[in-house]
């Protein structure tokens, strides 16, 4: 094990950036930034970068910048997190847009998901921008529309970015490293029958036909479980059929949520589904891919040397938009995401920044 104390860090610069990160997060909390409405928070990120001499790029509400002395001969790492939020739920007892600090805890909408990881990654980017002889390039991207997988988020930005070798996606993981993440397929299916009077032995009940396919989704096993995130999970979540009690329905619509893994691709899952169900697949959303990174990758090896816990994540993030190696890691706790009176501890942010810096210094980029 290599302790963080053995890796040289400029403590004065670190503490300055830690304090700036907390103040920036307070500013982010105070501005509404629902998905697609992140105009004001984009400006906050832009202003922080400009205060360090950067001329950041903007695409929609995505803000990005590259290392000052970008060198294409060096490996390039994307640092990404999002600044959009969900709507506050009705259980809030505090103003979700008031950055309240009590006993070292910062409350506010988006503080944990993903404001803490976002400002920690940006602070990390700014730290290395002041270092000499850095053996890698960094790209910082603060993006929108993550919560809705919208059209103007990271997926739309990636074609504009310089090519990168791997990515760190900032989400609240208690600074543990997710080395695999499940993908998502959403299917909208329709079973078709023939209508008739319920009192007579006529018609072909679409509900019964749908039940056969629904039972297949419930019981089928792909048999190629991922050692990191387990099996592909298929769940029927919505069913809609019928117009009145005495009419045999001729259609039954149902929705299926499928969580894919790093061992079974979205395309492979779709092939199996189409071979086994009789219902028509009216619509299939397959762009949210499973993602992850090899255990032999230098950043995973560095994490193990620093005793950083690695795990497989069942939840999704903007990792799904990245076609290449990536990890998910950040301060905060995913259990707090989307909850009433969302919060993050100030010490978690400080620790997150120091850990990101330490980790990147530990990676063997040769």
């Amino acid at each position: 094990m290599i302790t963080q104390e053995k890796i040289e860090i400029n403590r004065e610069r670190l503490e300055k950036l830690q304090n700036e990160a907390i103040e920036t997060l307070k500013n982010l909390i105070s501005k509404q930034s629902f998905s697609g409405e992140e105009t004001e928070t984009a400006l906050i990120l832009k202003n922080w970068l400009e205060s360090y001499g950067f001329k950041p790029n903007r695409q929609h509400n995505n803000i990005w910048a590259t290392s000052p002395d970008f060198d294409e001969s060096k490996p390039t790492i994307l640092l990404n997190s999002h600044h959009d939020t969900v709507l506050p739920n009705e259980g809030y007892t505090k103003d979700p847009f008031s950055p309240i600090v009590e006993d070292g805890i910062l409350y506010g909408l988006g503080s944990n998901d993903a404001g803490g990881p976002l400002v920690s990654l940006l602070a990390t980017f700014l730290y290395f921008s002041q270092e000499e002889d850095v053996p890698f390039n960094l790209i910082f991207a603060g993006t929108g529309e993550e919560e809705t997988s919208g059209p103007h988020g990271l997926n739309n930005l990636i074609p504009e970015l310089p090519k990168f070798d791997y990515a760190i996606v900032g989400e609240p993981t208690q600074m543990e490293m997710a080395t695999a993440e499940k993908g998502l397929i959403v299917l909208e299916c329709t079973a078709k029958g023939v209508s008739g009077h319920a009192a007579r032995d006529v018609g072909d009940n679409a509900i019964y036909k749908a039940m056969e396919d629904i039972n297949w989704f419930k019981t089928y096993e792909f048999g190629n479980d991922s050692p990191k995130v387990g099996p592909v999970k298929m769940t029927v979540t919505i069913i809609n059929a019928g117009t009145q009690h005495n009419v045999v329905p001729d259609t039954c619509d149902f929705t299926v949520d499928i969580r894919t893994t790093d061992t079974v691709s979205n395309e492979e899952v779709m092939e199996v589904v189409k071979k086994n169900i009789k219902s028509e697949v009216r619509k299939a959303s397959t762009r949210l891919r499973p993602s992850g990174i090899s255990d032999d990758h230098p950043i995973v090896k560095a994490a193990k040397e620093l005793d950083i816990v690695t795990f497989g994540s069942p939840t999704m993030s903007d990792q799904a938009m990245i076609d290449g190696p990536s990890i998910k890691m950040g301060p905060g706790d995913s259990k707090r995401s989307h909850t009433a009176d969302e919060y993050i501890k100030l010490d978690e942010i400080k620790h997150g920044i120091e850990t990101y810096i330490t980790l990147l210094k530990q990676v063997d980029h040769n």
Side-chain angles (χ1 to χ4, degrees):
M1 175 185 173
I2 298 173
T3 62
Q4 292 190 16
E5 288 75 14
K6 293 182 181 180
I7 294 175
E8 185 177 344
I9 293 179
N10 184 312
R11 308 306 301 186
E12 183 179 352
R13 189 192 313 156
L14 172 65
E15 291 173 13
K16 179 176 183 292
L17 284 164
Q18 288 171 330
N19 292 331
E20 289 178 358
I22 291 168
E23 290 307 308
T24 299
L25 180 53
K26 291 177 182 178
N27 291 335
L28 291 170
I29 291 169
S30 69
K31 303 296 183 183
Q32 178 180 303
S33 57
F34 305 143
S35 291
E37 303 176 18
E38 312 96 345
T39 302
E40 291 185 283
T41 49
L43 183 60
I44 291 169
L45 299 177
K46 179 174 177 287
N47 289 342
W48 193 13
L49 281 161
E50 286 177 342
S51 73
Y52 277 79
F54 286 91
K55 294 182 179 178
N57 304 278
R58 180 167 186 162
Q59 181 220 56
H60 299 288
N61 290 325
N62 305 314
I63 300 295
W64 64 278
T66 60
S67 297
D69 298 317
F70 195 94
D71 182 348
E72 292 184 356
S73 68
K74 296 178 180 180
T76 299
I77 308 159
L78 172 65
L79 307 180
N80 165 250
S81 190
H82 66 95
H83 56 107
D84 63 313
T85 71
V86 296
L87 298 173
N89 67 50
E90 294 180 355
Y92 264 85
T93 63
K94 303 177 186 293
D95 182 350
F97 302 108
S98 292
I100 300 167
V101 177
E102 295 177 353
D103 298 324
I105 295 174
L106 174 58
Y107 293 90
L109 182 65
S111 56
N112 180 77
D113 183 15
L118 173 73
V119 297
S120 297
L121 282 174
L122 182 44
T124 301
F125 175 83
L126 294 171
Y127 179 91
F128 282 105
S129 75
Q130 298 177 297
E131 286 267 278
E132 295 182 357
D133 301 320
V134 179
F136 50 82
N137 304 308
L138 291 177
I139 306 169
F140 169 78
T143 50
E145 300 192 11
E146 188 271 349
E147 296 290 1
T148 57
S149 300
H152 300 305
L154 179 61
N155 192 50
N156 193 52
L157 176 64
I158 284 177
E160 291 193 16
L161 300 177
K163 182 181 177 181
F164 53 90
D165 295 276
Y166 65 96
I168 300 175
V169 176
E171 290 283 341
T173 67
Q174 297 181 303
M175 291 310 290
E176 296 180 353
M177 179 184 289
T179 58
E181 180 183 85
K182 283 193 171 183
L184 172 65
I185 299 174
V186 179
L187 302 182
E188 295 181 10
C189 305
T190 298
K192 294 184 178 180
V194 179
S195 64
H197 199 295
R200 300 178 182 277
D201 191 18
V202 295
D204 187 6
N205 196 319
I207 292 177
Y208 298 156
K209 299 182 77 170
M211 285 171 62
E212 295 178 13
D213 289 339
I214 290 169
N215 187 60
W216 179 84
F217 281 114
K218 178 183 177 182
T219 59
Y220 185 82
E221 296 180 359
F222 283 84
N224 189 18
D225 292 2
S226 164
K228 294 183 178 180
V229 291
V232 173
K233 189 174 187 300
M234 302 191 290
T235 308
V236 177
T237 54
I238 302 172
I239 301 176
N240 185 30
T243 56
Q244 57 190 62
H245 76 89
N246 58 352
V247 178
V248 173
D250 59 356
T251 61
C252 178
D253 298 323
F254 60 96
T255 301
V256 190
D257 178 295
I258 304 176
R259 303 291 166 151
T260 55
T261 74
D262 54 325
T263 57
V264 186
S265 71
N266 287 10
E267 291 74 21
E268 290 170 328
V269 169
M270 286 302 302
E271 287 181 13
V272 173
V273 168
K274 289 177 179 179
K275 287 179 182 178
N276 284 277
I277 70 168
K278 297 176 182 178
S279 298
E280 172 191 343
V281 178
R282 291 184 290 105
K283 185 178 179 182
S285 172
T286 60
R287 69 188 181 99
L288 301 175
R289 300 178 294 271
S291 54
I293 200 165
S294 167
D295 287 342
D296 293 327
H297 193 281
I299 196 168
V300 180
K301 289 182 176 179
K304 292 177 180 178
E305 290 167 356
L306 293 168
D307 260 7
I308 294 172
V309 174
T310 61
F311 71 103
S313 173
T315 60
M316 267 198 348
S317 70
D318 268 342
Q319 265 191 290
M321 308 296 181
I322 297 170
D323 186 15
S326 62
I327 59 107
K328 179 171 67 176
M329 179 179 182
D333 189 335
S334 64
K335 294 177 182 178
R336 304 175 201 149
S337 300
H338 307 177
T339 61
D341 296 336
E342 181 182 350
Y343 70 89
I344 190 167
K345 297 175 183 178
L346 301 184
D347 283 345
E348 289 175 330
I349 297 171
K350 294 177 180 179
H351 173 68
I353 297 168
E354 184 170 1
T355 300
Y356 280 140
I357 294 169
T358 303
L359 177 63
L360 288 172
K361 281 179 171 284
Q362 180 62 29
V363 176
D364 182 0
H365 290 100
N366 296 321

